[in-house]
Amino acid sequence: MAFHIPGPDAWSRKLRRVKGCGLGSDTCVINDEQFFVRGLIRVPVAGLEDAFEWGVWVSLTEEDIVRMAEVAGGLCPRRWERDWRSRWAAACRAAGASR
């Protein structure tokens, strides 16, 4: 059982072709100024073996994104650079993440 929306409320399909904007499965950037990460909250449900999974979007500052890349080590997805050129990719490079 799960619920999630494909992007944060601030995202619009009109932004797909706008420079500095991009939406991935778990990350979103808008105008190289607003940054979002999708998290998954697992809620146990009485009587069910599997938990309810709730996908939620949270906003991060640019500083937080750089820190996230540092903590992730080499785990920054290569698709960030391939899908959209943004500060996400720059954050991965700044943190020294391997490609």
Side-chain angles (χ1 to χ4, degrees):
M1 206 171 17
F3 173 80
H4 77 92
I5 56 173
D9 286 343
W11 178 256
S12 165
R13 297 185 97 186
K14 296 175 186 177
L15 297 172
R16 287 185 298 179
R17 290 184 167 71
V18 175
K19 184 178 180 177
C21 296
L23 176 66
S25 60
D26 297 320
T27 57
C28 179
V29 62
I30 299 174
N31 297 320
D32 282 334
E33 295 175 355
Q34 295 178 296
F35 305 94
F36 302 89
V37 174
R38 187 174 79 93
L40 189 62
I41 299 172
R42 291 191 172 105
V43 181
V45 179
L48 295 179
E49 186 176 317
D50 294 330
F52 174 74
E53 295 182 340
W54 184 18
V56 296
W57 289 90
V58 296
S59 62
L60 298 175
T61 65
E62 186 174 3
E63 179 180 324
D64 290 336
I65 290 166
V66 171
R67 177 69 180 133
M68 186 180 82
E70 290 170 348
V71 170
L75 300 178
C76 291
R78 296 177 89 185
R79 71 174 185 268
W80 287 354
E81 290 186 62
R82 186 175 63 242
D83 290 349
W84 21 281
R85 306 220 187 293
S86 69
R87 291 187 184 176
W88 286 98
C92 288
R93 285 192 301 274
S98 62
R99 293 183 189 207

Coordinates of all heavy atoms in Angstrom, one line a residue:
M1 N 0.8 -1.2 0.0 CA 0.0 0.0 0.0 C 0.9 1.2 0.0 O 1.8 1.3 0.8 CB -0.9 0.0 1.3 CG -2.1 0.7 1.1 SD -3.3 0.5 2.5 CE -2.4 -0.2 3.9
A2 N 0.6 2.2 -0.9 CA 1.5 3.4 -1.0 C 0.8 4.5 -1.6 O -0.2 4.4 -2.3 CB 2.7 3.0 -1.8
F3 N 1.3 5.7 -1.3 CA 0.7 7.0 -1.8 C 1.9 7.9 -2.0 O 2.7 8.1 -1.1 CB -0.3 7.6 -0.9 CG -0.7 9.0 -1.4 CD1 -1.6 9.1 -2.4 CD2 -0.1 10.1 -0.9 CE1 -2.0 10.3 -2.9 CE2 -0.5 11.4 -1.4 CZ -1.4 11.5 -2.4
H4 N 2.0 8.5 -3.2 CA 3.0 9.5 -3.4 C 2.5 10.4 -4.6 O 1.8 9.9 -5.5 CB 4.4 9.0 -3.6 CG 4.6 8.4 -5.0 ND1 5.1 9.1 -6.0 CD2 4.4 7.1 -5.5 CE1 5.2 8.3 -7.1 NE2 4.8 7.1 -6.8
I5 N 3.0 11.6 -4.7 CA 2.8 12.4 -5.9 C 4.1 12.6 -6.6 O 5.2 12.5 -6.0 CB 2.2 13.8 -5.5 CG1 3.1 14.5 -4.5 CG2 0.8 13.6 -4.9 CD1 2.6 15.9 -4.2
P6 N 4.1 12.8 -7.9 CA 5.3 12.8 -8.7 C 6.3 14.0 -8.4 O 7.4 13.9 -8.8 CB 4.9 12.7 -10.1 CG 3.4 13.2 -10.1 CD 2.9 12.9 -8.7
G7 N 5.8 15.0 -7.8 CA 6.6 16.2 -7.6 C 6.1 17.1 -6.5 O 4.9 16.9 -6.1
P8 N 6.9 18.0 -6.0 CA 6.4 18.9 -4.9 C 5.3 19.9 -5.5 O 5.2 20.0 -6.7 CB 7.7 19.7 -4.5 CG 8.6 19.6 -5.7 CD 8.3 18.3 -6.4
D9 N 4.6 20.5 -4.6 CA 3.5 21.4 -5.0 C 4.1 22.5 -5.9 O 3.3 23.0 -6.7 CB 2.8 22.0 -3.8 CG 1.9 21.0 -3.1 OD1 1.5 20.0 -3.7 OD2 1.5 21.2 -1.9
A10 N 5.3 22.9 -5.6 CA 5.9 24.1 -6.4 C 6.2 23.7 -7.9 O 6.4 24.6 -8.7 CB 7.1 24.6 -5.7
W11 N 6.2 22.4 -8.2 CA 6.5 21.9 -9.5 C 5.3 22.1 -10.5 O 4.2 21.8 -10.1 CB 7.0 20.5 -9.5 CG 7.3 20.0 -10.9 CD1 6.5 19.1 -11.6 CD2 8.4 20.3 -11.7 NE1 7.1 18.9 -12.8 CE2 8.3 19.6 -12.9 CE3 9.6 21.1 -11.5 CZ2 9.2 19.7 -13.9 CZ3 10.5 21.1 -12.5 CH2 10.3 20.4 -13.7
S12 N 5.6 22.5 -11.7 CA 4.6 22.6 -12.7 C 5.2 21.9 -14.0 O 6.4 22.1 -14.3 CB 4.3 24.0 -13.0 OG 3.6 24.2 -14.2
R13 N 4.3 21.3 -14.8 CA 4.8 20.7 -16.0 C 5.4 21.7 -17.0 O 6.2 21.4 -17.8 CB 3.6 20.0 -16.7 CG 3.1 18.8 -15.9 CD 2.1 18.1 -16.6 NE 2.8 16.9 -17.2 CZ 2.2 16.1 -18.0 NH1 1.0 16.2 -18.4 NH2 2.9 15.1 -18.5
K14 N 4.9 23.0 -16.8 CA 5.5 24.1 -17.6 C 7.0 24.3 -17.4 O 7.7 24.8 -18.2 CB 4.7 25.4 -17.3 CG 3.3 25.4 -17.6 CD 2.6 26.6 -17.2 CE 1.1 26.6 -17.4 NZ 0.4 27.8 -16.9
L15 N 7.5 23.8 -16.2 CA 8.9 24.0 -15.9 C 9.8 23.0 -16.6 O 11.0 23.1 -16.5 CB 9.1 23.9 -14.4 CG 8.4 25.0 -13.6 CD1 8.4 24.7 -12.1 CD2 8.9 26.4 -13.9
R16 N 9.3 22.0 -17.2 CA 10.1 20.9 -17.8 C 11.1 21.4 -18.7 O 12.2 20.8 -18.8 CB 9.2 19.9 -18.5 CG 8.4 19.0 -17.6 CD 7.6 18.0 -18.3 NE 6.7 18.6 -19.2 CZ 5.9 18.0 -20.1 NH1 5.9 16.7 -20.1 NH2 5.1 18.6 -20.8
R17 N 10.9 22.4 -19.5 CA 11.8 22.9 -20.5 C 12.5 24.2 -20.0 O 13.2 24.8 -20.8 CB 11.1 23.1 -21.8 CG 10.7 21.8 -22.5 CD 10.1 22.1 -23.8 NE 9.9 20.9 -24.6 CZ 9.1 19.9 -24.4 NH1 8.3 19.9 -23.4 NH2 9.0 18.9 -25.3
V18 N 12.3 24.6 -18.8 CA 12.9 25.8 -18.3 C 14.3 25.5 -17.8 O 14.5 24.6 -17.0 CB 12.1 26.5 -17.2 CG1 12.8 27.7 -16.6 CG2 10.7 26.8 -17.8
K19 N 15.3 26.3 -18.2 CA 16.7 26.1 -17.8 C 16.7 26.3 -16.2 O 16.1 27.2 -15.7 CB 17.6 27.2 -18.4 CG 19.1 27.0 -18.1 CD 19.9 28.0 -18.8 CE 21.4 27.8 -18.4 NZ 22.3 28.7 -19.1
G20 N 17.5 25.4 -15.6 CA 17.6 25.5 -14.1 C 16.5 24.8 -13.4 O 16.4 24.9 -12.2
C21 N 15.7 24.1 -14.1 CA 14.6 23.3 -13.5 C 14.6 21.9 -13.9 O 15.0 21.5 -15.0 CB 13.2 23.9 -14.0 SG 12.9 25.6 -13.5
G22 N 14.3 21.0 -13.0 CA 14.3 19.6 -13.3 C 13.6 18.8 -12.3 O 13.6 19.2 -11.1
L23 N 13.0 17.7 -12.7 CA 12.3 16.8 -11.8 C 12.7 15.4 -12.0 O 12.6 14.9 -13.1 CB 10.8 16.9 -12.0 CG 9.9 15.9 -11.1 CD1 10.0 16.3 -9.7 CD2 8.4 16.0 -11.6
G24 N 13.3 14.8 -11.0 CA 13.7 13.3 -11.0 C 12.7 12.6 -10.2 O 11.8 13.1 -9.6
S25 N 13.0 11.3 -10.0 CA 12.1 10.5 -9.2 C 12.1 10.8 -7.7 O 11.1 10.7 -7.0 CB 12.4 9.0 -9.4 OG 13.7 8.7 -8.9
D26 N 13.3 11.3 -7.2 CA 13.4 11.7 -5.8 C 14.0 13.1 -5.6 O 14.2 13.4 -4.4 CB 14.3 10.7 -5.1 CG 13.7 9.3 -5.1 OD1 12.5 9.1 -4.9 OD2 14.5 8.3 -5.3
T27 N 14.2 13.8 -6.6 CA 14.8 15.1 -6.5 C 14.1 16.1 -7.4 O 13.6 15.7 -8.5 CB 16.3 15.1 -6.8 OG1 16.5 14.6 -8.1 CG2 17.1 14.3 -5.8
C28 N 14.1 17.4 -7.0 CA 13.5 18.4 -7.9 C 14.3 19.7 -7.6 O 14.7 20.0 -6.5 CB 12.1 18.6 -7.5 SG 11.2 19.9 -8.4
V29 N 14.5 20.5 -8.7 CA 15.1 21.8 -8.5 C 14.3 22.8 -9.4 O 13.8 22.4 -10.5 CB 16.6 21.9 -8.9 CG1 16.8 21.5 -10.4 CG2 17.2 23.2 -8.6
I30 N 14.0 24.0 -8.9 CA 13.2 25.0 -9.6 C 14.0 26.3 -9.7 O 14.4 26.8 -8.7 CB 11.9 25.2 -8.9 CG1 11.1 23.9 -8.9 CG2 11.1 26.3 -9.6 CD1 9.8 24.0 -8.2
N31 N 14.3 26.7 -10.9 CA 15.0 27.9 -11.2 C 16.4 28.0 -10.4 O 16.8 29.1 -10.1 CB 14.2 29.1 -10.8 CG 12.9 29.2 -11.7 OD1 13.0 28.9 -12.9 ND2 11.8 29.6 -11.1
D32 N 17.0 26.9 -10.2 CA 18.3 26.8 -9.5 C 18.2 27.5 -8.2 O 19.2 28.0 -7.6 CB 19.4 27.4 -10.4 CG 19.9 26.5 -11.4 OD1 19.8 25.3 -11.3 OD2 20.5 27.0 -12.4
E33 N 17.0 27.7 -7.6 CA 16.8 28.4 -6.3 C 16.1 27.6 -5.3 O 16.3 27.7 -4.1 CB 16.1 29.7 -6.6 CG 16.9 30.7 -7.4 CD 16.1 31.9 -7.7 OE1 14.9 32.0 -7.4 OE2 16.6 32.8 -8.3
Q34 N 15.2 26.7 -5.8 CA 14.4 25.9 -4.8 C 14.7 24.5 -5.1 O 14.8 24.0 -6.2 CB 12.9 26.1 -5.1 CG 12.4 27.5 -4.8 CD 10.9 27.6 -5.2 OE1 10.5 27.4 -6.3 NE2 10.1 27.8 -4.1
F35 N 15.0 23.7 -3.9 CA 15.5 22.4 -4.0 C 14.6 21.5 -3.2 O 14.3 21.9 -2.0 CB 17.0 22.3 -3.5 CG 17.9 23.2 -4.3 CD1 18.1 24.5 -3.8 CD2 18.4 22.9 -5.5 CE1 18.9 25.4 -4.5 CE2 19.3 23.7 -6.2 CZ 19.5 25.0 -5.7
F36 N 14.3 20.3 -3.7 CA 13.4 19.4 -3.0 C 13.9 18.0 -3.1 O 14.6 17.6 -4.1 CB 12.0 19.4 -3.6 CG 11.4 20.8 -3.6 CD1 11.6 21.6 -4.7 CD2 10.5 21.2 -2.6 CE1 11.0 22.9 -4.7 CE2 10.0 22.4 -2.6 CZ 10.2 23.3 -3.6
V37 N 13.7 17.2 -2.0 CA 14.0 15.8 -2.0 C 12.8 15.0 -1.6 O 12.0 15.5 -0.7 CB 15.2 15.5 -1.0 CG1 15.4 14.0 -0.9 CG2 16.4 16.2 -1.4
R38 N 12.5 13.9 -2.2 CA 11.4 13.0 -1.8 C 11.9 12.0 -0.8 O 12.9 11.3 -0.9 CB 10.8 12.3 -3.0 CG 9.5 11.6 -2.7 CD 8.9 11.0 -3.9 NE 9.6 9.8 -4.3 CZ 9.2 8.5 -3.9 NH1 8.1 8.4 -3.1 NH2 9.9 7.5 -4.4
G39 N 11.1 11.9 0.3 CA 11.4 11.0 1.4 C 10.2 10.0 1.4 O 9.2 10.2 0.9
L40 N 10.5 8.9 2.1 CA 9.4 7.8 2.2 C 9.2 7.6 3.7 O 10.1 7.2 4.4 CB 9.9 6.6 1.5 CG 8.9 5.5 1.4 CD1 7.7 5.9 0.5 CD2 9.6 4.2 0.7
I41 N 8.0 7.8 4.1 CA 7.6 7.5 5.5 C 6.8 6.2 5.5 O 5.8 6.0 4.7 CB 6.7 8.6 6.0 CG1 7.4 10.0 6.0 CG2 6.2 8.3 7.4 CD1 6.5 11.1 6.4
R42 N 7.3 5.2 6.3 CA 6.6 3.9 6.4 C 5.8 3.9 7.7 O 6.4 4.1 8.8 CB 7.7 2.8 6.4 CG 8.3 2.7 5.0 CD 9.1 1.4 4.9 NE 9.6 1.3 3.5 CZ 10.8 1.5 3.1 NH1 11.7 1.9 3.9 NH2 11.1 1.3 1.8
V43 N 4.5 3.7 7.5 CA 3.6 3.7 8.7 C 3.0 2.3 8.8 O 2.4 1.8 7.9 CB 2.4 4.7 8.4 CG1 1.5 4.7 9.6 CG2 2.9 6.1 8.1
P44 N 3.3 1.6 10.0 CA 2.8 0.3 10.2 C 1.2 0.4 10.2 O 0.7 1.3 10.8 CB 3.3 -0.1 11.6 CG 4.4 0.8 11.8 CD 4.2 2.1 11.1
V45 N 0.6 -0.7 9.7 CA -0.9 -0.7 9.7 C -1.3 -2.0 10.4 O -0.8 -3.1 10.0 CB -1.4 -0.7 8.2 CG1 -3.0 -0.8 8.3 CG2 -1.0 0.5 7.5
A46 N -2.1 -1.9 11.4 CA -2.5 -3.0 12.2 C -3.2 -4.0 11.3 O -4.1 -3.7 10.5 CB -3.5 -2.6 13.3
G47 N -2.8 -5.3 11.5 CA -3.5 -6.3 10.7 C -2.9 -6.6 9.3 O -3.3 -7.5 8.6
L48 N -1.9 -5.7 8.9 CA -1.3 -5.9 7.6 C 0.2 -6.2 7.8 O 0.9 -5.6 8.7 CB -1.4 -4.7 6.7 CG -2.9 -4.3 6.3 CD1 -2.9 -3.0 5.5 CD2 -3.5 -5.5 5.5
E49 N 0.7 -7.0 6.9 CA 2.2 -7.4 7.0 C 3.0 -6.2 6.5 O 4.0 -5.9 7.1 CB 2.4 -8.6 6.1 CG 3.8 -9.1 6.3 CD 4.0 -10.4 5.5 OE1 3.2 -11.3 5.6 OE2 5.1 -10.5 4.8
D50 N 2.6 -5.6 5.4 CA 3.3 -4.4 4.8 C 2.9 -3.1 5.4 O 1.7 -2.9 5.6 CB 3.2 -4.4 3.3 CG 3.8 -5.6 2.6 OD1 4.8 -6.2 3.2 OD2 3.3 -6.1 1.6
A51 N 3.8 -2.2 5.6 CA 3.5 -0.9 6.0 C 2.9 0.0 4.9 O 3.1 -0.3 3.7 CB 4.7 -0.2 6.6
F52 N 2.2 1.0 5.3 CA 1.7 2.0 4.3 C 2.9 2.9 4.0 O 3.6 3.4 4.9 CB 0.6 2.8 4.9 CG 0.1 4.0 4.1 CD1 -0.6 3.8 2.9 CD2 0.5 5.3 4.4 CE1 -1.0 4.8 2.1 CE2 0.1 6.4 3.6 CZ -0.7 6.1 2.5
E53 N 3.2 3.1 2.7 CA 4.3 4.0 2.4 C 3.8 5.3 1.8 O 3.0 5.3 0.8 CB 5.2 3.2 1.3 CG 5.8 2.0 1.9 CD 6.7 1.3 0.9 OE1 6.6 1.5 -0.3 OE2 7.6 0.5 1.3
W54 N 4.3 6.4 2.4 CA 3.8 7.7 2.1 C 5.0 8.5 1.6 O 5.9 8.8 2.3 CB 3.2 8.3 3.3 CG 2.6 9.7 3.2 CD1 2.2 10.3 2.0 CD2 2.3 10.6 4.2 NE1 1.7 11.5 2.3 CE2 1.7 11.7 3.6 CE3 2.5 10.5 5.6 CZ2 1.3 12.8 4.4 CZ3 2.1 11.6 6.3 CH2 1.5 12.7 5.7
G55 N 5.0 8.8 0.3 CA 6.1 9.6 -0.3 C 5.8 11.1 -0.1 O 4.7 11.6 -0.5
V56 N 6.7 11.8 0.5 CA 6.6 13.2 0.8 C 7.7 14.0 0.3 O 8.9 13.5 0.2 CB 6.4 13.5 2.3 CG1 5.1 12.8 2.8 CG2 7.6 13.0 3.1
W57 N 7.5 15.2 -0.2 CA 8.5 16.1 -0.7 C 8.9 17.1 0.4 O 8.0 17.7 1.0 CB 8.1 16.8 -1.9 CG 8.0 15.9 -3.1 CD1 6.9 15.1 -3.5 CD2 9.0 15.6 -4.0 NE1 7.2 14.4 -4.6 CE2 8.5 14.7 -5.0 CE3 10.4 16.0 -4.2 CZ2 9.3 14.2 -6.0 CZ3 11.1 15.5 -5.2 CH2 10.6 14.6 -6.1
V58 N 10.2 17.4 0.6 CA 10.6 18.4 1.5 C 11.6 19.3 0.8 O 12.3 18.9 -0.1 CB 11.3 17.8 2.8 CG1 10.3 17.0 3.6 CG2 12.5 17.0 2.4
S59 N 11.5 20.6 1.2 CA 12.4 21.6 0.6 C 13.7 21.6 1.4 O 13.7 21.4 2.6 CB 11.8 23.0 0.5 OG 11.5 23.4 1.8
L60 N 14.8 21.9 0.7 CA 16.1 22.0 1.3 C 16.8 23.3 0.8 O 16.5 23.8 -0.3 CB 17.0 20.8 0.9 CG 16.6 19.4 1.3 CD1 17.6 18.4 0.6 CD2 16.6 19.3 2.8
T61 N 17.7 23.8 1.6 CA 18.5 24.9 1.2 C 19.6 24.4 0.3 O 19.9 23.2 0.3 CB 19.1 25.7 2.4 OG1 20.0 24.8 3.0 CG2 18.0 26.2 3.3
E62 N 20.3 25.3 -0.4 CA 21.4 24.9 -1.2 C 22.5 24.3 -0.3 O 23.2 23.3 -0.6 CB 22.0 26.0 -2.0 CG 23.1 25.6 -2.9 CD 23.5 26.8 -3.8 OE1 23.0 27.9 -3.7 OE2 24.4 26.5 -4.7
E63 N 22.7 24.9 0.9 CA 23.7 24.3 1.8 C 23.3 22.9 2.3 O 24.2 22.1 2.4 CB 23.7 25.3 3.1 CG 24.7 24.8 4.1 CD 24.7 25.8 5.3 OE1 24.5 27.0 5.1 OE2 24.8 25.3 6.4
D64 N 22.1 22.7 2.5 CA 21.6 21.3 2.9 C 21.9 20.3 1.8 O 22.2 19.1 2.0 CB 20.1 21.3 3.2 CG 19.9 22.0 4.6 OD1 20.8 22.1 5.4 OD2 18.7 22.5 4.7
I65 N 21.7 20.7 0.5 CA 21.9 19.8 -0.6 C 23.4 19.4 -0.7 O 23.7 18.3 -0.9 CB 21.4 20.5 -1.9 CG1 19.9 20.5 -1.9 CG2 21.9 19.7 -3.1 CD1 19.4 21.4 -2.9
V66 N 24.2 20.4 -0.5 CA 25.7 20.1 -0.6 C 26.0 19.2 0.6 O 26.7 18.2 0.4 CB 26.5 21.4 -0.4 CG1 28.0 21.1 -0.2 CG2 26.3 22.3 -1.7
R67 N 25.4 19.4 1.7 CA 25.7 18.5 2.9 C 25.1 17.1 2.6 O 25.8 16.1 2.9 CB 25.0 19.1 4.1 CG 25.2 18.2 5.3 CD 26.6 18.1 5.8 NE 26.7 17.3 7.0 CZ 27.6 16.3 7.1 NH1 28.5 16.1 6.2 NH2 27.6 15.6 8.2
M68 N 24.0 17.0 2.0 CA 23.4 15.7 1.6 C 24.3 15.0 0.7 O 24.6 13.8 0.8 CB 22.0 15.9 1.0 CG 21.3 14.6 0.7 SD 19.7 14.8 0.0 CE 20.2 15.0 -1.7
A69 N 24.9 15.7 -0.3 CA 25.8 15.0 -1.2 C 27.1 14.6 -0.5 O 27.6 13.5 -0.8 CB 26.2 16.0 -2.3
E70 N 27.6 15.3 0.5 CA 28.7 14.9 1.2 C 28.5 13.7 2.0 O 29.3 12.8 2.1 CB 29.2 16.1 2.2 CG 29.7 17.3 1.5 CD 29.9 18.5 2.5 OE1 29.4 18.4 3.6 OE2 30.5 19.4 2.1
V71 N 27.3 13.6 2.7 CA 26.9 12.5 3.5 C 26.7 11.2 2.6 O 27.1 10.1 3.0 CB 25.7 12.8 4.3 CG1 25.1 11.5 5.0 CG2 26.0 13.8 5.4
A72 N 26.2 11.5 1.4 CA 25.9 10.3 0.5 C 27.2 9.8 0.0 O 27.2 8.7 -0.6 CB 25.0 10.8 -0.6
G73 N 28.3 10.5 0.1 CA 29.6 10.0 -0.4 C 29.5 9.9 -2.0 O 29.2 10.8 -2.6
G74 N 29.7 8.7 -2.5 CA 29.7 8.5 -3.9 C 28.3 8.1 -4.4 O 28.2 7.6 -5.5
L75 N 27.3 8.3 -3.6 CA 26.0 7.8 -4.0 C 25.1 8.8 -4.8 O 23.9 8.6 -5.0 CB 25.2 7.4 -2.7 CG 25.9 6.3 -1.9 CD1 25.1 6.0 -0.7 CD2 26.1 5.0 -2.8
C76 N 25.6 10.0 -5.1 CA 24.9 10.9 -5.9 C 24.6 10.3 -7.3 O 25.5 9.9 -8.0 CB 25.6 12.2 -6.1 SG 25.8 13.2 -4.6
P77 N 23.3 10.2 -7.6 CA 22.9 9.6 -8.9 C 23.5 10.3 -10.1 O 23.5 11.5 -10.2 CB 21.4 9.7 -8.9 CG 21.0 10.0 -7.6 CD 22.1 10.7 -6.9
R78 N 24.1 9.5 -11.0 CA 24.6 10.1 -12.2 C 23.6 10.8 -13.0 O 23.8 11.7 -13.8 CB 25.3 9.0 -13.1 CG 26.5 8.4 -12.3 CD 27.1 7.3 -13.1 NE 28.1 8.0 -14.0 CZ 28.8 7.3 -14.9 NH1 28.6 6.0 -15.1 NH2 29.7 7.9 -15.6
R79 N 22.3 10.3 -12.9 CA 21.2 10.9 -13.7 C 21.0 12.4 -13.4 O 20.5 13.1 -14.2 CB 19.9 10.1 -13.5 CG 19.3 10.3 -12.1 CD 17.9 9.6 -12.0 NE 17.3 9.9 -10.8 CZ 17.4 9.2 -9.7 NH1 18.1 8.1 -9.7 NH2 16.8 9.5 -8.6
W80 N 21.5 12.9 -12.2 CA 21.3 14.3 -11.9 C 22.0 15.1 -13.0 O 21.5 16.1 -13.4 CB 21.9 14.6 -10.6 CG 21.1 14.1 -9.4 CD1 19.8 13.5 -9.5 CD2 21.4 14.2 -8.0 NE1 19.4 13.2 -8.2 CE2 20.3 13.6 -7.3 CE3 22.5 14.6 -7.4 CZ2 20.3 13.5 -6.0 CZ3 22.5 14.5 -6.0 CH2 21.4 14.0 -5.3
E81 N 23.2 14.7 -13.4 CA 23.9 15.4 -14.4 C 23.3 15.2 -15.8 O 23.2 16.0 -16.6 CB 25.4 15.0 -14.4 CG 26.1 15.5 -13.2 CD 27.6 15.3 -13.2 OE1 28.2 15.8 -14.2 OE2 28.1 14.6 -12.4
R82 N 22.9 13.9 -16.0 CA 22.4 13.6 -17.3 C 21.0 14.2 -17.6 O 20.7 14.7 -18.7 CB 22.3 12.0 -17.4 CG 21.9 11.5 -18.8 CD 22.0 10.0 -18.9 NE 21.0 9.4 -18.0 CZ 21.3 8.6 -16.9 NH1 22.6 8.3 -16.7 NH2 20.4 8.1 -16.2
D83 N 20.1 14.2 -16.6 CA 18.7 14.6 -16.8 C 18.6 16.1 -16.8 O 17.9 16.7 -17.6 CB 17.8 14.1 -15.7 CG 17.6 12.6 -15.8 OD1 18.0 12.0 -16.8 OD2 17.1 12.0 -14.8
W84 N 19.3 16.9 -16.0 CA 19.3 18.3 -16.0 C 20.5 18.9 -15.3 O 21.0 18.4 -14.3 CB 18.0 18.8 -15.3 CG 17.3 17.9 -14.3 CD1 16.5 16.9 -14.6 CD2 17.4 17.9 -12.9 NE1 16.1 16.2 -13.5 CE2 16.6 16.9 -12.4 CE3 18.1 18.7 -12.0 CZ2 16.5 16.6 -11.1 CZ3 18.0 18.4 -10.6 CH2 17.1 17.4 -10.2
R85 N 21.0 19.9 -16.0 CA 22.2 20.6 -15.5 C 21.7 21.6 -14.5 O 21.0 22.5 -14.8 CB 22.9 21.3 -16.6 CG 23.2 20.3 -17.8 CD 24.5 20.6 -18.4 NE 24.8 19.8 -19.5 CZ 24.9 18.5 -19.6 NH1 24.7 17.8 -18.5 NH2 25.2 17.8 -20.7
S86 N 22.1 21.4 -13.3 CA 21.6 22.2 -12.2 C 22.6 22.2 -11.0 O 23.7 21.6 -11.1 CB 20.3 21.7 -11.7 OG 20.5 20.4 -11.0
R87 N 22.2 22.9 -10.0 CA 23.1 22.9 -8.8 C 23.2 21.6 -8.1 O 24.0 21.3 -7.3 CB 22.7 24.0 -7.9 CG 22.9 25.4 -8.5 CD 22.6 26.4 -7.5 NE 22.8 27.7 -8.2 CZ 22.5 28.9 -7.6 NH1 22.1 28.9 -6.4 NH2 22.7 30.0 -8.2
W88 N 22.2 20.7 -8.4 CA 22.3 19.3 -7.8 C 23.6 18.7 -8.2 O 24.3 18.1 -7.4 CB 21.1 18.5 -8.3 CG 19.8 18.8 -7.6 CD1 18.9 19.6 -8.2 CD2 19.4 18.4 -6.4 NE1 17.9 19.8 -7.3 CE2 18.1 19.0 -6.2 CE3 19.9 17.6 -5.3 CZ2 17.4 18.8 -5.0 CZ3 19.2 17.4 -4.2 CH2 17.9 18.0 -4.0
A89 N 23.9 18.7 -9.5 CA 25.1 18.1 -10.0 C 26.3 18.8 -9.5 O 27.3 18.2 -9.1 CB 25.1 18.1 -11.6
A90 N 26.2 20.2 -9.4 CA 27.3 20.9 -8.8 C 27.5 20.5 -7.3 O 28.7 20.5 -6.9 CB 27.0 22.4 -8.9
A91 N 26.5 20.3 -6.6 CA 26.6 19.9 -5.2 C 27.3 18.5 -5.1 O 28.2 18.3 -4.3 CB 25.2 19.8 -4.6
C92 N 27.0 17.6 -6.0 CA 27.7 16.3 -6.0 C 29.2 16.5 -6.3 O 30.0 15.9 -5.6 CB 27.1 15.4 -7.1 SG 25.5 14.8 -6.6
R93 N 29.5 17.3 -7.3 CA 30.9 17.6 -7.6 C 31.6 18.3 -6.5 O 32.7 18.0 -6.1 CB 31.0 18.4 -8.9 CG 30.7 17.6 -10.2 CD 31.1 18.3 -11.4 NE 30.4 19.6 -11.5 CZ 29.3 19.8 -12.1 NH1 28.6 18.8 -12.5 NH2 28.7 21.0 -12.2
A94 N 30.9 19.3 -5.9 CA 31.5 20.0 -4.8 C 31.9 19.1 -3.6 O 32.8 19.3 -2.9 CB 30.6 21.2 -4.3
A95 N 31.0 18.1 -3.4 CA 31.2 17.2 -2.3 C 32.2 16.1 -2.6 O 32.6 15.3 -1.8 CB 29.9 16.5 -1.9
G96 N 32.7 16.1 -3.9 CA 33.7 15.1 -4.3 C 33.2 13.8 -4.5 O 33.9 12.8 -4.5
A97 N 31.9 13.7 -4.8 CA 31.3 12.4 -5.1 C 31.8 11.8 -6.4 O 32.0 12.5 -7.4 CB 29.7 12.6 -5.2
S98 N 32.0 10.5 -6.4 CA 32.5 9.9 -7.6 C 31.4 9.7 -8.6 O 30.3 9.7 -8.3 CB 33.1 8.5 -7.2 OG 32.0 7.7 -6.7
R99 N 31.9 9.7 -9.9 CA 30.9 9.6 -11.0 C 30.7 8.2 -11.5 O 31.5 7.4 -11.5 CB 31.3 10.5 -12.1 CG 31.3 11.9 -11.8 CD 31.7 12.7 -12.9 NE 31.9 14.1 -12.5 CZ 31.7 15.1 -13.3 NH1 31.4 14.9 -14.5 NH2 31.9 16.3 -12.9

